[in-house]
Amino acid sequence: MTDRITVDLEFTPNPNSLKYITNPPLMEKGAANFKDLAAAKDKSPLAEKLFALNGVTAVMVGPNFVTVTIASFDRLTDLNDEIMAT
């Protein structure tokens, strides 16, 4: 039996931020907010991978969510697909 990972999208009040609810949890408690790749370096492999996507400007990782802020709403559909794959 393999562990299944689920990711559900939620919209936030900020139109340039998307919140992804994850199961299983990513952290036990707290949250980590990364404003750029340098801040995420060696602290969050997931945030590092997300910053590698063109247009990601910030990442917050919480116990059961990841919020990704993007530079432009114009790339929302493409970036959502890439984020979900990551």
Side-chain angles (χ1 to χ4, degrees), residues 9-55:
L9 173 63
E10 282 187 6
F11 291 95
T12 70
N14 179 346
N16 287 358
S17 290
L18 301 171
K19 184 176 182 179
Y20 298 88
I21 306 301
T22 62
N23 187 25
L26 302 171
M27 302 170 59
E28 286 188 31
K29 61 182 179 177
N33 193 21
F34 304 103
K35 299 288 185 183
D36 55 33
L37 177 59
K41 192 78 172 151
D42 298 324
K43 294 182 184 122
S44 173
L46 176 58
E48 287 183 60
K49 289 178 183 177
L50 291 169
F51 276 115
L53 303 177
N54 184 25

Side-chain angles (χ1 to χ4, degrees), residues 14 23 30 46 56 79-81:
N14 179 346
N23 187 25
L46 176 58
V56 172
L79 261 179
N80 179 59
D81 293 344

